[in-house]
């Protein structure tokens, strides 16, 4: 029986799909690959997994830095460890607006802190802390006073609409202590802020110097991102 | 949350560990009802009074003894579910002239409305109409109530009253006093037979559902559906009214179900849901933006002698373009300045949330503009034409960068107006390095034709080459060529032309597929402009779409601070040759519409077009879209013209569903690309509108206040 038009089309359908996928991966445009191609590539890439060299831990990354290197660089540095991902990155100061400093990492992540060291916002982590108002917490840190403080934390929902949340927190002054950051000793007072949200609770810890600078802290970003451990290196 | 979600939390994982104690949210029978074999909240074949989570888009496929039903259901509103279903029933001939011997292919639409939500004292109550504008094979209506018991709503008891097909078993005369049900004529379908609804005999149905574990649910039901038509054709046998079985939740991979139905047969189902309100990430993975650079405070007024600086323009241009390149996704077109005001023209290339583009431009302005500038104006340019002017004070930009509520605060203090209302500053003028814009792409394309009763899935795969050149002020040259490589679109049925019916403006698609290989899809020269006030214009000439070429003009009145708009479009087109070349056929037509754009119930965008369509018929199109801030859109449309339902033929009137999915929803990074599809049960010739690219309304409203405010969450992103 001679091949009818219908038969011919069915015979070629499967190799056609493979060819289409191959073409898809080869497609290009003046603005870069079309979206579905980028998608396909990223999916193919993620199946492969990371190379062994990429899988260093935060401890190893911390060990890669030293006080002499920090002094040599002679610029303000912030070390931010993302606990859930076990990754630590050094941030450089990118700008200052009022009393908020914006820091940026080499791969484009951003973190904004008050001059004292309270986290105001993050950028680039997906479920970022978009903005916040923690002036009561800042005042408690500056005066080293215990008491209830309220926070406003602004996130985005799945529709990219702003969702501000009111968190009821309680700041507690802890013990005096000495911490060491890359061979530098700092006399600090530990302070703990316990906060209640609608869906759970978290605890921020601050190690505050006598002049009010938060030398080290462990601060909550969002349920998806978790905690950052932030060290002011110089 | 444990949910049947197709789009999971990629990469990062959903919940970070370490010291966070979350409250457990599980899917209960009431919060996430099971979807039945009709794709609606239900038990097995019978419905329940549930509702899916708001904006859920669920895909369900069920297989019962040879019959398959595939349903797309959308929770339009928290209480209203709408579905589109495509069914294949083997060896079934309800009407006298079967089209296809092997399968009877049926398209149907349902509406399900949860009238009362369950509370302490009463059950939830829902009303539904099945097969509302289809061929009537599944036609039926119901009133149903469901009550949940147990601390986590583990047990659900449902009882209901069915009419039509659902009033089959042990039916009794109509309790609502509506009398007999008119005999259904399973003709070409498509008409909404209001005179049938809730009429005729009624019957009781009901059932019980039990949530045995987190994932396992058990269903037992008493069905009032006798499947009379199918039984008459020996498609299925009904021995008992009892259906029993279970569904198992596979989490992100969907839900599977297996049931023993009617005492005779096994049924299998699979359903999966996504929700436009939940993307891959609640935020974005875009890299951090340039921080706002505030001015150093000074007691003296800031110097303004920079205006006379001869090398000012190239310095400003280089600074701006360098920072735009760092930010990505923005293109500098022009800048006009005087000592106090700077007006920048930019193209937003990548940011699907337009407020994010605005925020990034403001950051760059704060870092590059001389200190004496107090007012920033951003004019967005689309197709090389100004679309809107956003004016903000520099001090507001400096003050609101980090504030909670800073985004809405900045927009509240901004002025958004039509670009032509105010004259640009004229002390200094800077032109970008790329005032014109050429984009091109070569890549694969897939073209599908679905739901044809003879060939439900037809597709072509090929290569498409496209280019667009924006030049001058408002001119765009745009073209695309498609070369189909493989596929079976050539098998598209050549529809029989109804006697006395409209000219085959769309139904000869088969000839377009068969008689062309490589084809010019589109080649147009357009002009976009802005008359004074809030009037925008478009003029397009050339090969406007695959089947028509000619001239198309449009004028739109759209206030920048309002959702309301009125447009007028006028086209004169000739039918193109089937071979996809530059030839034209004799048939020509003047079409046009007056369009009204308006919001509906806060979450929908409504549109009504009244005018003349391609076959020379007069009528109106009604369109309702649910649009989301992240770029998703789910909508439906229907067109009624003076082509009668009989003349229209199968389907009776033009209708369809439109989906737009932003690719940024999948990846969490900035992109203006979207995937879009129009699902039409059938494409015929009545109510056919010209398929012109680049219509004004969507382009213009992107940069008006309602959309900027909706996307403001991303302003400082």
């Amino acid at each position: 029986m001679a091949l009818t038009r219908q038969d011919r089309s069915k015979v070629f359908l499967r190799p056609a799909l493979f060819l289409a996928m191959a073409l898809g991966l080869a497609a290009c445009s003046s603005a870069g690959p079309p979206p579905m191609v980028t998608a396909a590539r990223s999916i193919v890439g993620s199946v492969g997994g990371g190379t062994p060299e990429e899988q260093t831990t935060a401890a190893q990354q911390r060990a890669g830095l030293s006080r002499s290197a920090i002094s040599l660089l002679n610029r303000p540095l912030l070390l931010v460890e993302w606990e859930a991902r076990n990754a630590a990155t050094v941030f450089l100061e990118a700008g200052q607006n009022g009393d908020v400093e914006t820091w940026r990492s080499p791969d484009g992540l951003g973190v904004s802190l008050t001059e004292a060291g309270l986290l105001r916002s993050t950028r680039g982590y997906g479920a970022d802390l978009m903005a916040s108002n923690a002036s009561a917490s800042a005042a408690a840190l500056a005066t080293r006073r215990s008491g209830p403080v309220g926070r406003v934390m602004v996130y985005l929902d799945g529709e990219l609409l702003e969702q501000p949340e009111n968190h009821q927190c309680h700041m507690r002054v802890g013990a005096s202590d000495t911490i060491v950051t890359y061979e530098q000793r700092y006399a600090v007072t530990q302070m703990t802020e316990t906060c209640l949200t609608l869906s759970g609770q978290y605890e921020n810890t601050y190690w505050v110097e006598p002049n009010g600078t938060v030398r080290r802290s462990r601060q909550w970003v969002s349920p998806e991102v978790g905690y950052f451990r932030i060290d002011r290196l110089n | 949350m444990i949910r049947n979600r197709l789009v999971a939390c990629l990469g990062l994982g959903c919940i970070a560990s370490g010291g966070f104690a979350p409250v457990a949210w599980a899917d209960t029978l009431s919060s996430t009802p099971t979807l039945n074999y009709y794709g609606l909240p239900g038990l097995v074949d019978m419905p329940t009074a549930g509702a899916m989570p708001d904006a859920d888009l669920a895909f369900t496929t069920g297989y019962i003894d040879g019959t398959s039903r595939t349903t797309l259901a959308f929770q339009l509103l928290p209480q209203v579910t709408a579905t589109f279903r495509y069914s294949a029933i083997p060896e079934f001939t309800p009407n006298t002239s079967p089209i296809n011997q092997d399968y009877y292919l049926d398209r149907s639409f349902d509406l399900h409305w949860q009238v009362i939500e369950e509370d302490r004292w009463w059950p939830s109550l829902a009303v539904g109409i099945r097969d509302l504008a289809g061929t009537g094979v599944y036609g039926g209506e119901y009133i149903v109530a469901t009550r949940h018991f147990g601390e986590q709503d583990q047990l659900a008891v449902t009882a209901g009253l069915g009419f039509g097909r659902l009033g089959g078993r042990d039916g009794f005369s109509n309790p609502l006093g509506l009398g007999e049900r008119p005999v259904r004529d399973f003709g070409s379908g498509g008409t909404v037979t209001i005179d049938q609804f809730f009429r005729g005999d009624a019957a009781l149905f009901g059932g019980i559902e039990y949530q045995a574990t987190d994932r396992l649910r058990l269903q037992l039901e008493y069905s009032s559906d006798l499947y009379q038509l199918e039984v008459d054709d020996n498609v299925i046998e009904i021995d008992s009214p009892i259906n029993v079985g279970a569904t198992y939740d596979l989490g992100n991979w969907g839900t599977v179900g297996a049931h023993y139905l009617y005492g005779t047969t096994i049924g299998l189902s699979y359903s999966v849901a996504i929700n436009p309100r939940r993307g891959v990430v609640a935020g974005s993975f875009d890299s951090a933006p340039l921080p706002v650079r505030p001015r150093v405070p000074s007691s003296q007024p800031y110097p303004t002698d920079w205006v006379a600086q001869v090398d000012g323009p190239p310095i400003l241009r280089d600074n701006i373009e360098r920072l735009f390149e760092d930010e990505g996704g923005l293109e500098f077109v022009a800048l006009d300045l005087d000592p106090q005001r700077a007006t920048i023209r930019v193209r937003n290339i990548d940011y699907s949330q337009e407020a994010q583009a605005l925020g990034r431009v403001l950051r760059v302005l704060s870092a590059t503009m001389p200190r004496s500038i107090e007012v920033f104006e951003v004019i967005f340019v689309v197709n090389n034409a100004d679309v809107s002017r956003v004016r903000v004070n520099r001090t507001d930009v400096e003050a609101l960068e980090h504030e909670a509520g800073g985004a809405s605060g900045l927009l509240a203090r901004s002025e958004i107006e039509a670009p032509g209302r105010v004259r640009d500053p004229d002390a200094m003028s800077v032109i970008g390095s790329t005032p014109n814009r050429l984009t091109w792409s070569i890549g694969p394309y897939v073209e599908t034709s679905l739901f044809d009763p003879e060939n439900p899935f037809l597709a072509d795969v090929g290569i498409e080459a496209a280019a667009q050149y924006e030049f001058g002020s408002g001119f765009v040259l745009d073209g695309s060529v498609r070369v189909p490589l493989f596929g079976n679109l050539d098998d598209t049925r050549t529809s029989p032309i109804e006697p006395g019916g409209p000219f085959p403006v769309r139904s000869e698609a088969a000839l377009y597929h068969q008689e062309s290989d490589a084809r010019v899809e589109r080649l147009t020269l357009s002009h976009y402009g802005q008359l004074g006030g809030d009037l925008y214009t478009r003029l397009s000439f050339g090969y406007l779409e695959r089947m028509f070429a000619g001239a198309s003009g449009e004028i739109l009145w759209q206030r920048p601070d309002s959702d309301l708009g009125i447009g007028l479009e006028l086209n004169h087109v000739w039918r193109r040759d089937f071979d996809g070349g530059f030839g034209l056929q004799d048939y020509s037509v003047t079409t046009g519409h007056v369009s009204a754009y308006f919001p509906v119930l806060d979450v929908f965008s409504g549109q009504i077009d009244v005018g003349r369509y391609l076959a020379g018929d007069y009528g109106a199109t009604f369109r309702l879209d649910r649009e989301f801030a992240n770029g998703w859109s789910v909508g439906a449309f229907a067109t009624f013209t003076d082509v009668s339902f009989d003349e229209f033929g199968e389907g009776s009137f033009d209708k369809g569903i439109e989906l737009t999915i932003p690719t940024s929803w999948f990846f969490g990074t900035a992109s203006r690309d979207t995937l879009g599809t129009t699902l039409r049960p059938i494409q015929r010739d009545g109510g056919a509108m010209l398929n012109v690219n680049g219509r004004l309304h969507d382009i213009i409203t992107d940069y008006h206040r309602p959309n900027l405010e909706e996307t403001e969450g991303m302003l400082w992103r």
Side-chain angles (χ1 to χ4, degrees):
Chain A
M1 184 179 76
L3 282 178
T4 64
R5 180 160 254 182
Q6 185 167 11
D7 290 343
R8 229 182 323 150
S9 60
K10 280 180 182 159
V11 159
F12 285 116
L13 195 58
R14 185 181 301 209
L17 286 173
F18 285 122
L19 181 60
M21 278 176 59
L23 287 173
L25 294 172
C28 54
S29 74
S30 57
M36 288 315 288
V37 176
T38 321
R41 285 185 188 155
S42 72
I43 291 168
V44 167
S46 67
V47 166
T51 60
E53 304 94 80
E54 290 166 8
Q55 289 160 357
T56 51
T57 64
Q60 290 167 325
Q61 287 156 339
R62 280 177 182 275
L65 205 56
S66 69
R67 179 51 57 179
S68 47
I70 294 168
S71 316
L72 213 66
L73 216 53
N74 201 21
R75 305 169 62 167
L77 294 174
L78 203 71
L79 185 64
V80 178
E81 181 182 331
W82 184 0
E83 291 187 357
R85 280 293 201 88
N86 202 2
T89 319
V90 173
F91 282 65
L92 295 170
E93 196 169 354
Q96 179 155 1
N97 188 354
D99 91 319
V100 181
E101 299 168 338
T102 301
W103 300 76
R104 199 185 168 112
S105 80
D107 41 3
L109 298 169
V111 152
S112 290
L113 309 166
T114 62
E115 268 179 331
L118 200 64
L119 185 69
R120 288 296 296 268
S121 64
T122 68
R123 290 291 186 270
Y125 293 90
D128 287 312
L129 175 65
M130 294 305 292
S132 60
N133 185 341
S135 47
S137 313
L141 285 177
T143 56
R144 247 125 319 148
R145 204 110 44 104
S146 296
V149 290
R151 275 175 169 262
V152 178
M153 306 280 270
V154 181
Y155 300 106
L156 294 179
D157 66 10
E159 246 191 290
L160 303 180
L161 296 172
E162 274 193 337
Q163 299 296 334
E165 292 179 12
N166 285 311
H167 295 178
Q168 297 309 314
C169 306
H170 193 97
M171 186 76 82
R172 264 183 358 261
V173 183
S176 298
D177 203 355
T178 312
I179 56 170
V180 181
T181 309
Y182 291 105
E183 297 154 29
Q184 206 98 310
R185 303 179 76 84
Y186 302 97
V188 292
T189 310
Q190 183 178 335
M191 297 189 66
T192 316
E193 183 183 13
T194 315
C195 296
L196 276 174
T197 76
L198 275 179
S199 46
Q201 70 172 45
Y202 59 89
E203 198 170 83
N204 293 333
T205 316
Y206 310 90
W207 287 266
V208 190
E209 290 188 85
N211 65 1
T213 308
V214 177
R215 182 52 56 179
R216 178 183 298 172
S217 59
R218 184 171 182 262
Q219 300 193 52
W220 173 255
V221 177
S222 66
E224 290 83 357
V225 173
Y227 286 97
F228 280 177
R229 185 177 137 187
I230 303 172
D231 281 278
R232 200 181 275 275
L233 298 182
N234 52 8
Chain B
M1 277 191 174
I2 309 149
R3 301 213 139 212
N4 302 346
R5 299 295 169 219
L6 184 59
V7 178
C9 311
L10 300 177
L12 291 185
C14 288
I15 310 255
S17 57
F20 180 66
V23 166
W25 298 84
D27 291 343
T28 63
L29 287 184
S30 48
S31 70
T32 317
T34 308
L35 299 179
N36 63 11
Y37 281 74
Y38 285 94
L40 278 167
L43 292 159
V44 183
D45 251 2
M46 295 295 108
T48 60
M52 301 193 293
D54 183 37
D56 253 20
L57 188 63
F59 172 87
T60 306
T61 182
Y63 179 86
I64 304 175
D65 198 19
T67 298
S68 68
R69 296 179 203 140
T70 304
T71 310
L72 190 67
F74 182 56
Q75 195 68 31
L76 273 182
L77 289 167
Q79 297 83 28
V80 180
T81 323
T83 72
F84 170 60
R85 177 177 313 108
Y86 197 59
S87 317
I89 308 172
E91 289 157 12
F92 182 58
T93 55
N95 48 12
T96 49
S97 50
I99 300 166
N100 181 304
Q101 252 73 6
D102 294 335
Y103 281 93
Y104 179 78
L105 296 166
D106 184 81
R107 302 166 291 257
S108 49
F109 292 91
D110 300 355
L111 267 182
H112 172 96
W113 174 30
Q114 185 187 66
V115 181
I116 301 174
E117 208 181 324
E118 184 174 354
D119 205 337
R120 225 156 34 118
W121 304 112
W122 49 77
S124 50
L125 186 77
V127 159
I129 303 177
R130 187 177 287 172
D131 200 353
L132 132 89
T135 48
V137 166
Y138 287 122
E141 303 83 41
Y142 53 86
I143 302 170
V144 62
T146 303
R147 180 122 186 105
H148 294 89
F149 300 94
E151 228 180 64
Q152 302 201 321
D153 290 344
Q154 307 101 301
L155 183 68
V157 176
T158 298
L161 199 61
F163 301 82
R165 191 175 161 124
L166 291 166
R169 182 173 285 278
D170 295 334
F172 45 88
S173 62
N174 193 297
L176 303 175
L178 290 171
E180 291 297 309
R181 193 177 183 95
V183 173
R184 182 69 195 233
D185 166 33
F186 301 107
S188 34
T191 51
V192 179
T193 47
I194 298 181
D195 57 351
Q196 278 207 325
F197 294 160
F198 297 98
R199 288 184 195 273
D201 284 354
L204 293 170
F205 63 85
I208 296 179
E209 190 172 14
Y210 180 63
Q211 178 108 36
T213 74
D214 260 358
R215 294 175 181 262
L216 184 67
R217 292 179 178 179
L218 307 171
Q219 295 92 23
L220 174 71
E221 85 177 4
Y222 178 95
S223 167
S224 60
D225 191 341
L226 283 176
Y227 278 71
Q228 197 59 59
L229 294 170
E230 286 95 326
V231 167
D232 289 345
D233 271 5
N234 287 321
V235 175
I236 193 173
E237 239 182 80
I238 307 287
D239 276 353
S240 132
I242 303 291
N243 296 329
V244 64
T247 57
Y248 190 77
D249 178 356
L250 296 171
N252 291 317
W253 296 103
T255 300
V256 290
H259 299 81
Y260 185 62
L261 295 133
Y262 302 110
T264 54
T265 185
I266 302 282
L268 298 170
S269 73
Y270 173 73
S271 83
V272 67
I274 58 175
N275 192 310
R277 301 172 80 181
R278 266 171 220 94
V280 159
V281 63
S284 147
F285 294 114
D286 292 338
S287 48
L290 184 75
V292 167
R293 196 173 302 166
R295 292 167 290 177
V296 175
S298 159
S299 51
Q300 308 286 35
Y302 295 110
T304 61
D305 49 0
W306 56 266
V307 171
Q309 201 175 327
V310 169
D311 60 346
I315 291 176
L316 286 170
R317 183 195 64 219
D318 293 341
N319 288 342
I320 292 172
E321 288 184 342
R322 183 173 37 88
L323 290 178
F324 272 8
E325 202 176 308
D326 287 345
E327 295 296 293
L330 295 168
E331 232 169 62
F332 172 56
V333 177
L335 175 72
D336 297 285
L337 310 138
D338 67 26
Q340 274 79 42
R341 182 163 64 112
T343 303
I344 191 170
R345 282 175 166 77
V346 295
R347 282 189 204 102
N348 171 18
I349 310 295
D350 277 343
Y351 297 104
S352 81
Q353 270 62 44
E354 287 77 13
Q356 187 179 13
L358 174 65
R360 295 213 170 196
V361 174
L362 292 173
R363 291 168 181 275
V364 169
L365 287 177
S366 76
T368 52
M369 293 297 100
R371 290 173 297 165
S372 69
I373 303 271
E374 289 289 340
V375 176
F376 290 162
E377 288 183 342
V378 181
I379 294 183
F380 287 99
V381 170
V382 179
N383 292 329
N384 258 32
D386 297 348
V387 172
S388 73
R389 185 188 299 252
V390 181
R391 181 179 311 114
V392 305
N393 288 322
R394 191 174 194 163
T395 46
D396 290 335
V397 174
E398 293 167 346
L400 295 171
E401 182 191 4
H402 295 289
E403 295 308 304
S408 56
L410 186 69
L411 283 179
R413 286 177 221 189
S414 68
E415 282 159 0
I416 302 173
E417 58 188 28
R421 284 202 181 277
V422 165
R423 214 166 322 150
D424 293 337
D426 53 9
M428 183 186 283
S429 183
V430 182
I431 308 288
S433 306
T434 53
N436 300 330
R437 180 171 148 81
L438 173 67
T439 50
W440 56 268
S441 68
I442 298 177
Y445 78 90
V446 177
E447 185 179 346
T448 60
S449 170
L450 304 175
F451 311 128
D452 185 284
E454 281 180 21
N455 282 303
F457 186 83
L458 296 164
D460 264 4
V461 174
I463 302 187
E464 179 174 19
Q468 181 172 307
Y469 183 53
E470 298 169 30
F471 62 100
S473 59
F475 285 97
V476 183
L477 189 61
D478 176 43
S480 91
V481 167
R482 281 191 169 185
V483 182
L485 293 176
F486 300 107
N488 57 0
L489 272 181
D490 284 358
D491 301 335
T492 306
R493 177 170 54 127
T494 311
S495 312
I497 298 175
E498 303 290 329
F503 186 87
V505 287
R506 291 286 185 219
S507 57
E508 288 186 333
L511 294 174
Y512 281 94
H513 294 306
Q514 287 154 12
E515 298 193 20
S516 71
D517 292 314
R519 64 179 190 257
V520 175
E521 185 78 8
R522 196 174 61 246
L523 184 62
T524 59
L525 175 66
S526 307
H527 179 266
Y528 289 81
Q530 222 250 322
L531 302 179
D534 302 318
L535 287 172
Y536 300 84
T537 62
R538 170 183 67 84
L539 217 54
S540 313
F541 297 100
Y543 298 84
L544 302 169
E545 51 141 282
R546 186 172 186 190
M547 297 185 187
F548 290 92
S552 169
E554 192 186 348
I555 190 166
L556 174 70
W557 178 83
Q558 182 82 43
R559 292 257 315 267
D561 54 2
S562 165
D563 278 315
L564 300 171
I566 298 188
L568 172 65
E569 179 177 305
L570 214 56
N571 313 309
H572 187 80
V573 292
W574 285 261
R575 197 178 186 212
R576 287 180 61 184
D577 271 347
F578 299 127
D579 64 2
F582 296 107
L584 300 176
Q585 299 183 22
D586 287 335
Y587 181 80
S588 74
V589 63
T590 306
T591 78
H593 296 89
V594 174
S595 306
Y597 305 92
F598 48 92
V600 175
L601 295 177
D602 263 356
V603 294
F604 293 105
S605 292
Q607 182 178 340
I608 299 182
D609 308 305
V610 180
R612 193 177 197 224
Y613 294 78
L614 284 170
D617 45 334
Y618 293 89
T621 300
F622 301 88
R623 182 183 296 270
L624 198 66
D625 290 292
R626 179 138 181 210
E627 292 174 344
F628 299 86
N630 53 16
W632 260 88
S633 171
V634 183
F637 61 88
T639 303
F640 303 97
T641 68
D642 57 5
V643 170
S644 74
F645 289 170
D646 287 330
E647 288 168 343
F648 186 95
E650 198 182 334
S652 300
F653 62 94
D654 188 53
K655 53 196 170 303
I657 294 170
E658 270 181 356
L659 288 175
T660 304
I661 308 174
T663 56
S664 55
W665 184 80
F666 290 102
F667 302 113
T669 52
S671 166
R672 283 184 76 76
D673 293 314
T674 57
L675 302 169
T677 184
T678 305
L679 295 172
R680 264 196 172 85
I682 187 150
Q683 170 87 81
R684 293 192 64 82
D685 305 307
M689 218 189 265
L690 187 67
N691 199 3
V692 160
N693 254 19
R695 284 197 162 104
L696 287 171
H697 184 256
D698 289 343
I699 294 174
I700 302 299
T701 53
D702 273 349
Y703 299 102
H704 281 187
R705 182 174 290 278
N707 191 55
L708 287 173
E709 286 183 349
E710 198 179 31
T711 56
E712 72 189 9
M714 296 287 277
L715 180 77
W716 289 118
R717 184 58 187 88

